[in-house]
Amino acid sequence: MSDSKLAGQFFDAAIGLLQRVRDEDAAEIEAAGALIADTVADGGRLFAFGAGHSSVAAQDIVYRAGGLALMNLLVVPGTVGVDVIPATLGSALERVDGLASAVLDSSPARSGDLLVIISLSGRNALPVEMAMKARSLGLKVIGVTSVAYTTETKSRHTSGTYLKDHCDIVLDSRIPIGDAELTKDTIEAPFAPASTVVTSALLQAVMATAAGALADRGIEPPLLRSANVDGGHEWNSRVMTEYGDRIFYRH
């Protein structure tokens, strides 16, 4: 099989997953957008968390042109992306009990805020504990995960539960276990993961829904513009000044 055919197969697989999420998660996307709009309208703050490669989707909705200015990244040191050395340390930290609670207790998150937690497997201690602790503090939790993992993997949290068990709304990315879309008889391992593409699109769909829901209520969504277009910097400065008490990535 030629490389070009493999490329086409990957695009087909990713498009198929995006179509599934669009059609099968429609109600949950609508509910998540409405919950975010409720939080913004009620004066709450927004946070997003993901560990390892799940942090890519979290970062994609923070300080983003065309995105909500109020979305803040909740950082767990050593787990944001793969910049920690060695990169395997991030995976190890995801299994540490107590870390999520310590981070939330030290964060500006409070009752009435909303936290988006992204974890493909949803089985590690960190995202499970993060969701449990957040809800105990009075936050609403939107979980983005692949529910399929709960059917064929064991939880690594002491409760035996998964991220999906501690969320107000669950967005199912429909990613198959192992997060690799392609196989080839001359390659021993499956390859070509699509979780980042699908999860990022899913969250941008939610953000778009939230913006529309706010506008429908007569509330101007606090959106950022690209700083690389004329007037963008001035627009963003106005938004950040107006909502400065709910934005933490500039302190």
Side-chain angles (χ1 to χ4, degrees):
M1 181 180 296
S2 68
D3 291 342
S4 62
K5 287 185 177 180
L6 286 173
Q9 283 190 345
F10 175 76
F11 280 119
D12 288 343
I15 291 168
L17 285 165
L18 289 169
Q19 290 175 329
R20 282 195 65 194
V21 168
R22 179 195 62 192
D23 298 338
E24 298 174 26
D25 284 20
E28 289 77 12
I29 291 170
E30 188 76 19
L35 189 57
I36 289 173
D38 289 343
T39 304
V40 172
D42 293 341
R45 292 86 59 83
L46 308 174
F47 297 87
F49 166 76
H53 287 96
S54 290
S55 72
V56 176
Q59 292 177 64
D60 192 48
I61 56 173
V62 175
Y63 186 50
R64 192 70 163 85
L68 291 174
L70 307 190
M71 185 63 74
N72 301 276
L73 188 66
L74 185 65
V75 176
V76 176
T79 70
V80 182
V82 293
D83 57 338
V84 63
I85 303 297
T88 51
L89 176 60
S91 297
L93 290 173
E94 288 187 63
R95 305 181 189 184
V96 175
D97 292 328
L99 183 56
S101 293
V103 167
L104 275 171
D105 284 337
S106 302
S107 79
R110 65 190 184 193
S111 180
D113 293 346
L114 181 144
L115 174 60
V116 177
I117 302 176
I118 306 156
S119 174
L120 179 61
S121 71
R123 67 187 296 223
N124 287 310
L126 185 56
V128 175
E129 182 186 327
M130 184 76 74
M132 295 174 71
K133 177 68 174 181
R135 294 183 89 186
S136 75
L137 293 174
L139 280 76
K140 296 295 186 182
V141 175
I142 296 173
V144 187
T145 188
S146 171
V147 174
Y149 274 81
T150 65
T151 64
E152 296 186 35
T153 67
K154 292 183 179 180
S155 169
R156 289 176 174 149
H157 188 260
T158 55
S159 66
T161 60
Y162 299 80
L163 169 61
K164 75 172 186 66
D165 298 318
H166 307 284
C167 301
D168 295 279
I169 298 171
V170 176
L171 299 170
D172 187 356
S173 63
R174 316 285 167 171
I175 299 295
I177 294 174
D179 191 18
E181 296 301 319
L182 303 182
T183 59
K184 184 176 172 66
D185 55 8
T186 56
I187 300 176
E188 292 191 16
F191 54 100
S195 60
T196 302
V197 174
V198 175
T199 303
S200 291
L202 178 53
L203 283 172
Q204 291 298 349
V206 170
M207 295 301 109
T209 302
L214 286 167
D216 289 345
R217 303 178 194 188
I219 301 172
E220 180 183 350
L223 296 169
L224 295 173
R225 290 181 181 268
S226 172
N228 296 313
V229 300
D230 292 343
H233 179 73
E234 292 75 16
W235 172 282
N236 293 343
S237 293
R238 176 185 65 80
V239 172
M240 290 184 182
T241 297
E242 182 176 350
Y243 292 94
D245 60 334
R246 299 157 77 178
I247 297 173
F248 302 99
Y249 48 78
R250 59 187 310 224
H251 294 300

